[in-house]
Every structure is written in C-alpha cells, then in structure tokens.
Amino acid sequence: MPLVPLWKKNTWMTLFVYINSNHSFSDYKAKPDWQFQLQNNDRRILTKTMLEITHHSAALYAHIFLAKDSFPIDPANTSFSIDSIVYVCHGLTKFYQNKPYWHNTITVSLVHHPKEYINRDTLHPVTLKYFLNNQGHQRVGFYRPIVFPNDFWLIQKDAFPINHTTGLLPLTIQLETINLWKFNVYAVLADEKRRTPIDETKRIMLSMNPSYMLSFTLITSLLHCLFEFLAVKNDVSFWINKSNGIGISTYSIIMNIMIQFISFDSKSTVTGTMQLVRICIEVWKLYRLFGYKYCWILIQHQKTRFVIRMIPIQHPDLIKRGEEITKRLDSIALQYIIWLAAPLLFLFGSSFIATFGYFFMILPQLYINYQMGRVNHISVNTMIYKSLTIAIDGFFALAIGIPMVHQISSIRSNIIFLVYVLQKYMNNWWIMPKKKSHNNSSVSIKSL
C-alpha cells in the first residue's frame, strides 16, 4: 500500500522551536525561541538563525513543532488537530564519556517528495518507521510531514564541555529541505551511529573535497582489487603445482582459517565474500597438504560391484625427511606462539585477535623459512602482491587520516611481508644462517 501525504502541496506551515531543560513539553504559553513560516511546495528551503541559550541545566532539549496553516499547537485549544501538528523532541546536550558537551549547530531537515505518493518498497526499514510513526490519526496510509533533526555532521571533537559554571551557549539553527533518497541515507546512518560510532568516517567526509575523495577512493579500490586478484591467482597456481609439504607451516594455515572465521564480516556482502573465498582457499591448501600423500583408486569386486579406496603413495626418503624437519620446526614455532600469546591475551582481551592475530598467524612460516634457509616452498609472487595490496591500503590510510591504530596495523603487515621478500634474496646472509649442527639437513633440503 502506498504512502500518501496528508498535507496538500502549497500548504502554509509554521515551524516553532522551544528550548528548555524538560524532556516533555507542556509550557504552550511560552514564547518560542525561534519560529519560521514556510510553504509546502517544491522550492528548496535553506535558512538559519543564531541564538544564545542560557545554560541552567545538565541537559537541554529542542522542542520542534510544525503547524499546518494557523492551527494551534496547544492540545487544550478547541481548534487543535493532531493531523495538523508535527512534534519532535531533540536533545541538544550530547554526552560523551558520560560528560555533557555542546554543539553550536542544529540542523532541522524537512523531507520533501514531489510525487503524489511514496512506494513503501523503496524505503529502507529504518526510514519506513519514520513514516509509519507519523501517520495521521486513524488515517492509515497517510503521513504528516517528516521533521528530521539531523546530527550526522556533528563530530565530538567540534563540541566543547559544559558544566554548572557555563553561561550563555551559542546555537545556530539551520532549516533545510532534503529529498527522499538523501533522507534514506541520513536515517540509516543515524541508526548506525546509535549502534556504532562513525565519527572518523564523518570527519574524513567533511575534510576532503567530494570529487577528490570519490576519485581517490575509486582508484585505490581498483588497485586493491587488482593486486588481491593477482595474489589469489598466483597462490592457487603455485599450490596446484606443489607436490610435497616441505617448508609449509600447517599451523599458519589453520590459524589463518580460525582468524578469518572469528573476524568474519556478515554485514558487508563484498567483505564477507572475499573472506569466504580466502577460507575456501586455505581449506583447499590443507587438503593439498595431506591429500598428495594418497591417491584414489577404483577397484572392481566381483562382476558388478566397484569400491573406491584411498591408498598411500610412496615418496622418496629425502622428501619424507624434509617433511619431518618441517613438522618439527612448526611445532617449535607453535610453542613460541603459546609463550608469547598467553600474556598478551590476558592484557588485551577481546582486542587480541585484531591487534596480534595476523602476526601470530604468520610467525610459524617465518620461523620455518629462517631455520631452513630457503623460501622456495612458498609463493613469493603471492607475497609481493599481498604486500602491494597492503601498501595501497596503508597509503590510503595515511592520505585520508584514519586512526593511528589502523595505520600502524597496515605498516606492521607491510613489515612482515618485507621480511618474506628479504628472506628470498638474503638466503646466504646473516639473516638466515646455516647452522653447523644442521648443515647436512639444510643441504639436503635445499637440493629438493
């Protein structure tokens, strides 16, 4: 069923704004702090006024009334009509870390839709609630004008703390009309803000030129996708041609799968799909690690009965010896991880995975590379493409100024991949020495 506006076009309306310390409004005889007359038509409205509010309470509220024609807002008045009044109460005092703060600006948005009706299917569920909650009295399918106090562009760093000694508070009230699609966006973001702080996203959007921001984001996204695709392609190609498990850390693969599951993003389709692809590839790697030791054969029993069996494949002793050394080194690396991770897990708690998960996931493979003095058992091209992907992300992070935690995370990941690349070209240097006690083993493994 479509939604039809209850107030016809070209209807004159008056906006009243009362500011006091009461969450519910009852003083209808008070003089409004600001009022503005406008017409419900197609023209764009953009006006603002500057006020000084006396601070005498911990919290202040803006009581916003939109009255049709000359209808009164006082319910006690005999001419009062609920279908001719829109009322919204909006908190002006914001509380950050349980302390009161004040923003200098409040934006009041009036939703404008030029068509005769609105199709419900075009509205996000969050947006639809505004229309359903603003229906006329016993007028199902009809809606009164939407008055939307828009806090989206308010950022905590622009607010200042207030207390009992604060005197006059400056306030700029901006009135604007917005179309339906923009209201859809703002309403969804306002709902998201209540559940997850997005101040950094808003700060970035405010500080950058929109066209530059769009172009820069598009280019970095395309480069990220390109290098991510090349990394996956090279990784899969390398593993298809790999015929043994020498030098491969099983624990690194298992931890990667676990971390991907723990950090799986079910809200984002794109991110979730990419993570799912990575999980499938890592599981396939595990199958390759253990599956190459066996082969499937079809055996005929009697005349009509066939049985599929898995039989072990005999490999040369040199390969077996290399895999035994790999398994032993992988177990030693896991012990180091347990010793390092236990105190850090106790200190960082739930943020441990985000902070150190990737480092501990890659540590066994780095340790095996170091002890074996070789990196031929891994795909260096894949590592280079992954390093370029993270470098692109890190450059984007530095350019737009995202939080330092994310910047450090990108730099840390680049350092780890840099170690991979260095291990490729510094085989015979002091970074990967050939220990005399393992000289024979190293020589044997290198000859594979």
Side-chain angles (χ1 to χ4, degrees):
M1 183 172 62
L3 295 169
V4 181
L6 190 59
W7 298 4
K8 295 181 180 180
K9 286 185 178 180
N10 302 320
T11 298
W12 281 99
M13 307 177 295
T14 306
L15 185 80
F16 301 94
V17 178
Y18 299 84
I19 299 175
N20 59 36
S21 58
N22 300 318
H23 187 269
S24 57
F25 188 80
S26 59
D27 191 4
Y28 292 97
K29 295 182 180 179
K31 181 181 179 181
D33 291 277
W34 183 59
Q35 69 181 65
F36 184 79
Q37 196 171 36
L38 62 153
Q39 195 174 17
N40 183 16
N41 56 20
D42 294 347
R43 69 186 180 91
R44 180 175 176 82
I45 301 166
L46 182 60
T47 186
K48 63 181 180 180
T49 186
M50 300 180 68
L51 307 174
E52 285 188 336
I53 309 300
T54 304
H55 177 252
H56 50 78
S57 176
L60 291 174
Y61 300 91
H63 301 275
I64 305 169
F65 292 88
L66 185 65
K68 175 184 176 183
D69 295 326
S70 57
F71 278 87
I73 63 173
D74 185 359
N77 193 301
T78 55
S79 300
F80 176 81
S81 171
I82 189 65
D83 289 343
S84 302
I85 302 294
V86 177
Y87 166 69
V88 176
C89 178
H90 182 68
L92 296 176
T93 308
K94 307 301 178 185
F95 290 87
Y96 304 119
Q97 292 83 44
N98 296 322
K99 295 180 180 179
Y101 281 77
W102 183 260
H103 288 276
N104 292 337
T105 304
I106 174 178
T107 301
V108 179
S109 300
L110 302 179
V111 180
H112 169 71
H113 187 64
K115 296 184 178 180
E116 297 295 331
Y117 66 90
I118 297 175
N119 191 338
R120 290 173 181 244
D121 296 335
T122 62
L123 299 177
H124 190 278
V126 173
T127 311
L128 182 60
K129 290 180 182 178
Y130 285 88
F131 288 90
L132 297 181
N133 293 337
N134 216 31
Q135 291 188 116
H137 181 60
Q138 295 182 348
R139 302 289 296 273
V140 178
F142 291 84
Y143 69 92
R144 291 169 290 171
I146 304 298
V147 178
F148 180 66
N150 189 0
D151 280 346
F152 178 75
W153 298 111
L154 300 184
I155 302 176
Q156 181 179 344
K157 75 178 186 65
D158 294 334
F160 58 87
I162 56 177
N163 52 43
H164 65 280
T165 63
T166 306
L168 295 177
L169 295 172
L171 179 64
T172 299
I173 302 177
Q174 178 173 296
L175 177 65
E176 66 175 7
T177 56
I178 59 175
N179 52 34
L180 187 59
W181 75 264
K182 188 178 290 187
F183 174 58
N184 250 320
V185 173
Y186 281 140
V188 172
L189 289 174
D191 182 70
E192 180 68 22
K193 179 184 175 183
R194 282 191 287 268
R195 295 183 283 112
T196 307
I198 53 175
D199 264 18
E200 283 301 323
T201 303
K202 295 187 291 184
R203 183 193 61 75
I204 292 167
M205 294 172 68
L206 283 169
S207 62
M208 297 187 70
N209 181 280
S211 59
Y212 167 74
M213 177 72 175
L214 179 62
S215 302
F216 186 66
T217 305
L218 181 62
I219 292 171
T220 52
S221 298
L222 290 174
L223 288 175
H224 176 97
C225 293
L226 173 63
F227 290 131
E228 184 78 20
F229 170 76
L230 292 174
V232 172
K233 177 180 176 295
N234 279 270
D235 198 22
V236 172
S237 299
F238 179 83
W239 275 83
I240 287 176
N241 297 320
K242 190 166 181 60
S243 59
N244 60 67
I246 295 177
I248 299 297
S249 172
T250 304
Y251 291 126
S252 284
I253 297 175
I254 293 174
M255 282 191 284
N256 190 9
I257 296 173
M258 293 173 62
I259 290 172
Q260 293 289 347
F261 267 115
I262 293 172
S263 60
F264 187 79
D265 187 359
S266 59
K267 296 180 181 179
S268 173
T269 304
V270 176
T271 306
T273 302
M274 292 176 65
Q275 286 182 302
L276 191 60
V277 170
R278 294 192 194 106
I279 291 172
C280 291
I281 291 175
E282 296 303 311
V283 171
W284 173 72
K285 287 180 183 180
L286 284 180
Y287 168 76
R288 292 285 300 175
L289 273 179
F290 297 102
Y292 81 92
K293 300 178 181 179
Y294 303 91
C295 69
W296 299 90
I297 62 171
L298 186 65
I299 301 175
Q300 183 176 4
H301 277 239
Q302 300 174 356
K303 293 183 178 180
T304 57
R305 187 180 175 190
F306 291 88
V307 177
I308 298 177
R309 287 186 178 178
M310 185 173 64
I311 62 172
I313 299 175
Q314 296 297 324
H315 292 281
D317 291 339
L318 193 59
I319 292 179
K320 291 182 179 179
R321 187 178 180 186
E323 291 177 343
E324 289 173 359
I325 294 174
T326 300
K327 186 176 180 181
R328 176 169 56 82
L329 294 175
D330 206 13
S331 298
I332 294 173
L334 182 63
Q335 292 178 6
Y336 289 150
I337 288 176
I338 294 173
W339 294 340
L340 290 172
L344 292 174
L345 180 61
F346 177 77
L347 290 173
F348 287 86
S350 58
S351 62
F352 171 80
I353 293 293
T355 310
F356 298 104
Y358 185 77
F359 171 75
F360 284 115
M361 177 199 76
I362 220 74
L363 184 60
Q365 189 62 66
L366 289 175
Y367 180 77
I368 291 174
N369 296 349
Y370 175 81
Q371 291 295 333
M372 284 190 163
R374 67 195 295 272
V375 289
N376 295 337
H377 45 263
I378 61 174
S379 174
V380 177
N381 288 337
T382 300
M383 297 304 154
I384 292 174
Y385 284 126
K386 284 186 177 180
S387 182
L388 289 173
T389 301
I390 298 175
I392 292 291
D393 295 342
F395 176 72
F396 183 77
L398 291 171
I400 67 175
I402 69 170
M404 184 60 65
V405 173
H406 299 287
Q407 295 181 19
I408 293 173
S409 176
S410 297
I411 294 172
R412 177 199 61 198
S413 300
N414 272 318
I415 291 174
I416 292 173
F417 280 119
L418 181 61
V419 171
Y420 266 127
V421 177
L422 287 176
Q423 287 180 337
K424 171 70 176 177
Y425 298 104
M426 302 180 73
N427 243 13
N428 303 317
W429 289 22
W430 62 274
I431 293 181
M432 300 176 69
K434 298 178 184 178
K435 299 182 180 179
K436 292 183 179 180
S437 59
H438 296 89
N439 186 58
N440 295 333
S441 298
S442 298
V443 174
S444 298
I445 295 170
K446 283 176 178 291
S447 63
L448 293 175

